[in-house]
Amino acid sequence: MKTLRHYLDETACEEPLKDLIELIAYQSIPIRDAFIDNQTYADTENVYGEEQAALDKWADQHIISVLGESGFVKAIASEEQADIVRFPDAYGDYSVVMDPLDGSSLIQVNLAVGTIIGIYRGGDPLQKGEDLAVAMYMLYGPMTVLALTVGDGVFTFAMNSEGIFVLLKEDIQMPEGKLFGSGGLRNEWLPGHQDFISLCEQSGGKLRYSGSFVADFHQILTYGGVYCYPAVVGKPEGKLRLVFEGNPIGFIAKQAGGAISDGTQDLLTILPEKPDHRTPIYVGSRKIIESAESCMKQ
Ligand code: F6P
Ligand code: MN
């Protein structure tokens, strides 16, 4: 049985980075425990005007307080915070970007949701996705699964009955599959995106879209295909966030041999303008992302 720690000890990661990864990964235990008491909406909105679930707020506060106390991180950019949270006295020199609870509309229906995390070296969380040191997510499905890359392939771990993450799959390569899923209302899609979805349908693609980016991406990582949340009429920037969602997931996709694009360019090369920078997203198998980009060009 190979644990998360065994795996980390085989990587080139420095000790404090290993400790930080473990610390974050194991927050999945208290977060999972908090589901039962946080099933409602919180009567507040986040900076994007989205209704916050009680669990969004709980997970956000919980991770911020654990990381603040740890002394590992100089800054946290969270989807649930308008501003970057800074810890100038931290002895560690990392910054964390996070979507504490992704897919929150699914909490009340007990479908899979997750926590998305990126770690940069240094105190600036507004860096390009390609400069991430670590990207990971914890997926709260029937099992708690951790997908992790430290820039040397993608590995998944499942939590066992003793609360330990054990290796599930190593060095995952995303196949060229045929699953596809798209956010946005069909009658608001732009012509290039409509063409791309028609192409997916005509080439025998099967629709898979749950409403949780992390869960939908995990399926694409395993079977191949594409998840997209496009630009729509009146919203050229789409819905998803570059810093907290696109970059960590894209870094994982690329490490698994896949790709991520905003429809015109590699998402990981974009320098975020602000924490709440939004972007259209196409992520999945490499050839499908290439065909999405060619549809957008026409
Ligand atoms: O975090 C944003 C998010 O909840 C993603 O997890 C998900 O893929 C998407 O929004 C769902 O949006 P919609 O309800 O518009 O399909
Ligand atoms: Mn999200």
Side-chain angles (χ1 to χ4, degrees):
M1 172 178 94
K2 188 175 194 173
T3 66
L4 172 60
R5 189 70 199 195
H6 291 145
Y7 166 70
L8 289 171
D9 283 340
E10 288 170 2
T11 67
C13 293
E14 58 276 16
E15 287 301 315
L17 186 56
K18 293 183 201 171
D19 292 345
L20 176 57
I21 292 168
E22 263 204 325
L23 180 68
I24 295 173
Y26 281 102
Q27 296 319 308
S28 50
I29 296 175
I31 291 173
R32 232 189 145 117
D33 285 348
F35 274 71
I36 195 155
D37 291 324
N38 290 279
Q39 283 288 307
T40 55
Y41 280 100
D43 287 334
T44 52
E45 289 183 346
N46 65 14
V47 58
Y48 309 92
E50 294 167 353
E51 224 178 349
Q52 282 179 307
L55 196 60
D56 282 327
K57 290 181 94 168
W58 192 94
D60 182 52
Q61 290 303 324
H62 176 76
I63 299 173
I64 290 175
S65 95
V66 168
L67 293 185
E69 281 165 26
S70 77
F72 286 135
V73 304
K74 288 252 176 0
I76 302 172
S78 165
E79 186 175 304
E80 301 304 327
Q81 300 286 330
D83 300 312
I84 295 169
V85 181
R86 296 193 187 273
F87 302 98
D89 299 332
Y91 57 84
D93 197 20
Y94 300 105
S95 41
V96 166
V97 293
M98 66 171 180
D99 180 351
L101 214 291
D102 173 69
S104 30
S105 71
L106 301 185
I107 294 167
Q108 295 187 37
V109 291
N110 198 30
L111 290 181
V113 296
T115 298
I116 307 173
I117 300 280
I119 304 174
Y120 290 99
R121 292 198 170 80
D124 178 12
L126 296 189
Q127 302 186 42
K128 292 178 183 172
E130 63 189 8
D131 294 328
L132 277 160
V134 174
M136 57 201 263
Y137 56 79
M138 291 92 88
L139 177 62
Y140 314 113
M143 296 191 291
T144 301
V145 167
L146 168 71
L148 169 70
T149 180
V150 300
D152 189 17
V154 179
F155 292 70
T156 56
F157 301 83
M159 187 164 283
N160 69 13
S161 56
E162 281 146 30
I164 307 289
F165 275 119
V166 294
L167 185 67
L168 196 59
K169 287 188 190 167
E170 53 191 340
D171 206 10
I172 294 173
Q173 288 299 309
M174 191 189 295
E176 286 291 335
K178 286 194 180 290
L179 299 183
F180 73 97
S182 174
L185 302 180
R186 190 176 268 268
N187 61 4
E188 292 177 350
W189 288 348
L190 302 174
H193 185 72
Q194 283 178 12
D195 290 350
F196 173 59
I197 296 300
S198 300
L199 193 71
C200 293
E201 287 167 346
Q202 283 154 19
S203 52
K206 197 189 249 190
L207 175 65
R208 284 284 186 269
Y209 185 84
S210 75
S212 161
F213 182 29
V214 68
D216 287 334
F217 172 74
H218 193 67
Q219 192 165 201
I220 300 296
L221 178 68
T222 311
Y223 298 132
V226 59
Y227 166 97
C228 29
Y229 209 110
V232 294
V233 174
K235 264 196 179 178
E237 72 286 5
K239 176 181 183 188
L240 298 192
R241 278 67 39 154
L242 173 66
V243 175
F244 320 113
E245 295 170 314
N247 280 339
I249 296 286
F251 194 75
I252 292 171
K254 221 167 168 182
Q255 281 289 321
I260 189 162
S261 172
D262 68 355
T264 64
Q265 61 185 320
D266 182 347
L267 201 82
L268 301 182
T269 62
I270 301 171
L271 185 65
E273 294 155 13
K274 49 184 181 171
D276 56 340
H277 186 141
R278 296 199 202 216
T279 177
I281 285 180
Y282 294 81
V283 62
S285 310
R286 204 169 38 79
K287 288 198 179 129
I288 300 188
I289 303 309
E290 278 168 20
S291 58
E293 285 185 341
S294 31
C295 288
M296 278 349 113
K297 270 189 203 128
Q298 284 160 18

